[in-house]
Amino acid sequence: QVQLVESGGGLVQAGGSLRLSCAASGRVLSINTMDWYRQAPGDERQLVAALTRDGRTNYADSVKGRFTISRDNAKNTVYLQMSSLKPEDTAVYTCNGEILTSDDGETWWGWGQGTQVTVSS
């Protein structure tokens, strides 16, 4: 069994920074891929940042240059560093990933529970 647990959300003023963490625990050999999504009230879920198996990154246009996705393989954790935050970044941020769970190539795919980010103007 695998769990993804986000942390690091909170209230920050516009222009500030936050670092979100998504830690994989349980039967985890490594993180294959990990995406960060966000959803504001009344809006559809939006893909914010993606980290591929080979380390490539992709970002939504709205966050390019401000957000950075990275990983710590030793901690089985993926981070989302958010800088120059804007009120429109306010949302619940959730990680979604594919986890390698065995040497035979078995994988688990799932979501974390989400963490609230609120940016005040």
Side-chain angles (χ1 to χ4, degrees), residues 3-9 19-25 34-38 45 77-80 92-97 110-117:
Q3 276 190 315
L4 298 179
V5 179
E6 298 100 334
S7 61
R19 189 179 76 160
L20 306 183
S21 300
C22 177
S25 64
M34 190 68 73
D35 303 330
W36 281 98
Y37 286 80
R38 69 184 181 188
R45 183 180 285 167
T77 298
V78 172
Y79 303 99
L80 184 67
V92 175
Y93 286 71
T94 309
C95 59
N96 166 253
W111 295 85
Q113 83 288 353
T115 186
Q116 176 70 46
V117 171

Side-chain angles (χ1 to χ4, degrees), residues 24-85:
S25 64
R27 195 178 178 187
V28 178
L29 265 64
S30 65
I31 295 174
N32 281 350
T33 64
M34 190 68 73
D35 303 330
W36 281 98
Y37 286 80
R38 69 184 181 188
Q39 187 168 22
D43 289 348
E44 293 187 354
R45 183 180 285 167
Q46 176 193 23
L47 177 63
V48 174
L51 181 64
T52 68
R53 187 190 305 261
D54 57 2
R56 289 176 295 158
T57 58
N58 294 288
Y59 299 94
D61 287 342
S62 59
V63 306
K64 280 181 182 176
R66 301 188 297 122
F67 289 13
T68 303
I69 188 170
S70 64
R71 67 195 297 167
D72 184 331
N73 291 328
K75 296 182 178 180
N76 288 323
T77 298
V78 172
Y79 303 99
L80 184 67
Q81 177 68 47
M82 307 186 295
S83 303
S84 302
L85 283 162

